[in-house]
Amino acid sequence: MLDLLSGAGRCSLAALDVGAAYALGVDPRPGLVAAAERTFAAHRVPPTSYRFVKKEIMPALHETEPGAYDVIIARGVLELLDVRRFFARLRDLRPKHVILDTPTTFGREPLIRFALRAARDESARGTNPRHAVIALPNHNLIVMLCDHFGFRWRLVDYPIAPAPAQRPDAGQAGNRTYVLDRIAG
């Protein structure tokens, strides 16, 4: 399992708890990488089953071998990256599943909106000053990128059988969690 923007390592810890053989956490914020390492040591997780690295997301993805990870968890990464390059690299890495948790914006056509992140936000003070400007995709852009780069998608952030008026659509914004499944090919 590859955990992008792993923070304190909670998703990595949960993945190992449910049977992942190995977890790699990637985060550019040194304080959070150190916190994750302390958490894993406190829980006596065998050091051979995980690793945390302080690294920017795209360089870490380019150093990753295709097929190395069955599951990639990406929380809050789309707002920091060129989404086309991110999806292209996901396609090249060939994970079976991607859990994509991302803020989204309003809009009917595929689009991305740029915004300034508040200076009080810790990730804006990270190692890369570009993190002060963020890009928010809308739902239709994520769908288009999934279709283009060979992923089936489903939203997992709403009740299993919501009423039609409650179903997420292009006009809604907020945080969305998608599960992407690689289409064989």
Side-chain angles (χ1 to χ4, degrees), residues 78-96:
L78 290 188
E79 62 191 83
L80 306 175
L81 305 170
D82 178 331
V83 295
R84 298 164 303 150
R85 289 185 179 165
F86 178 72
F87 270 84
R89 189 60 189 151
L90 287 180
R91 177 195 57 211
D92 295 344
L93 291 175
R94 298 187 312 271
K96 292 178 185 173

Side-chain angles (χ1 to χ4, degrees), residues 101-102 104 154-160 168 174-179:
D101 186 73
T102 186
T104 59
R154 65 186 181 279
L155 281 167
V156 294
D157 63 341
Y158 61 90
I160 291 183
N175 215 64
R176 295 274 184 243
T177 302
Y178 296 83
V179 173

Side-chain angles (χ1 to χ4, degrees), residues 89-135:
R89 189 60 189 151
L90 287 180
R91 177 195 57 211
D92 295 344
L93 291 175
R94 298 187 312 271
K96 292 178 185 173
H97 311 284
V98 176
I99 299 169
L100 178 65
D101 186 73
T102 186
T104 59
T105 190
F106 294 100
R108 291 195 181 279
E109 300 299 321
L111 63 86
I112 205 162
R113 293 207 167 115
F114 295 94
L116 293 175
R117 182 186 304 263
R120 68 185 186 288
D121 188 334
E122 179 187 340
S123 58
R125 295 188 303 264
T127 59
N128 189 337
R130 293 175 297 152
H131 290 182
V133 175
I134 59 173

Side-chain angles (χ1 to χ4, degrees), residues 56-77:
E56 296 291 334
I57 301 305
M58 288 309 291
L61 289 176
H62 285 292
E63 293 174 6
T64 301
E65 292 293 321
Y69 296 98
D70 291 331
V71 177
I72 296 176
I73 297 176
R75 291 180 329 273
V77 300

